[in-house]
């Protein structure tokens, strides 16, 4: 992009970080420990634990992600009468989740290629902190929902904070993420440019018009150099 410096700001989970294997591995560790604690957990499945997350995410979508996860674990533990041991199982879940969390293979090389020409930022709803996910010291600024009163995407205040942190006009900021609603539509409503990362090659939802669409972060440096 010509003209003044551009900021490129990234979503984290499923954009920079391959979250699904980490969460699945952490839930598997929780389930294994539940079965060690009580025979009543024999009838509990990994699918049950995953559905508990879905149920609580739907009910508590505006809450901090860590609170939603604790509520989901509480629901899972209740299936086996382990309601009183939430703290122990939550500690196990988060230890395994972060130990298993890795960036996608294209993330770090793309950030390195972008850094000489662009201001890089991170702004996320989740609790995947950069230093715990193999992304320490990669960004000029990091914003996490529910820190310092920051609401979650798609609230306009979230993107106002991105603009303030970047110190640039909204049109000089490119937001990159995997969620059509949170990362594309909401960013565009706030005046930012938006790049939809569509790793799975999904059909573009009706009404979605990202400024660009990529299937891998490796496409970003050349894409942004052309604009």
């Amino acid at each position: 992009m010509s003209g003044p410096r551009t900021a490129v700001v990234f979503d984290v989970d499923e954009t920079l970080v391959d979250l699904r294997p980490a969460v699945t591995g952490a839930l598997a560790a929780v389930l294994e420990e539940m079965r060690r604690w009580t025979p009543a957990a024999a009838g509990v499945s990994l699918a049950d634990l995953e559905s508990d997350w879905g149920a609580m995410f739907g009910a508590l979508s505006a809450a901090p992600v860590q609170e939603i996860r604790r509520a989901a674990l509480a629901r899972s533990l209740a299936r086996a009468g382990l309601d009183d041991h939430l703290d122990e199982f939550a500690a196990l879940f988060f230890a395994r989740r972060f130990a298993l969390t890795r960036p996608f293979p294209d993330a770090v090389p793309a950030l390195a290629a972008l850094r000489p020409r662009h201001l890089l930022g991170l702004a996320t709803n989740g609790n995947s902190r950069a230093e715990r996910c193999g992304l320490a010291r990669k960004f000029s600024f990091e914003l996490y929902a529910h820190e310092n009163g920051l609401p979650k995407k798609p609230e306009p205040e979230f993107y106002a904070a991105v603009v303030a942190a970047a110190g640039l006009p909204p049109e000089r900021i490119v937001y990159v993420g995997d969620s059509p609603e949170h990362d594309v539509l909401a960013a565009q409503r706030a005046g930012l440019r938006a790049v939809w990362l569509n790793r799975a090659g999904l059909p573009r939802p009706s009404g979605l018009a990202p400024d660009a669409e990529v299937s891998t972060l490796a496409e970003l440096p050349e894409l942004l150099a052309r604009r």
Side-chain angles (χ1 to χ4, degrees), residues 154 156 159 170-171 173-176 179-196 204 207-213 227:
Y159 284 102
E171 63 270 16
I173 303 171
V174 178
Y175 194 81
V176 182
S179 168
E181 178 186 355
H182 289 177
D183 302 331
V184 178
L185 294 174
Q188 290 176 325
R189 284 196 295 268
L192 285 69
R193 302 185 192 185
V195 175
W196 184 33
R204 186 176 293 187
L208 187 73
D211 294 277
E213 178 180 335
R227 297 196 171 207

Side-chain angles (χ1 to χ4, degrees), residues 54-73:
M56 298 316 298
F57 186 83
L60 302 172
S61 59
V65 171
Q66 187 164 347
E67 287 185 16
I68 302 173
R69 178 58 67 186
R70 283 180 61 89
L73 289 171

Side-chain angles (χ1 to χ4, degrees), residues 154-167:
E155 295 299 323
E157 293 85 355
F158 181 95
Y159 284 102
V162 170
V163 172

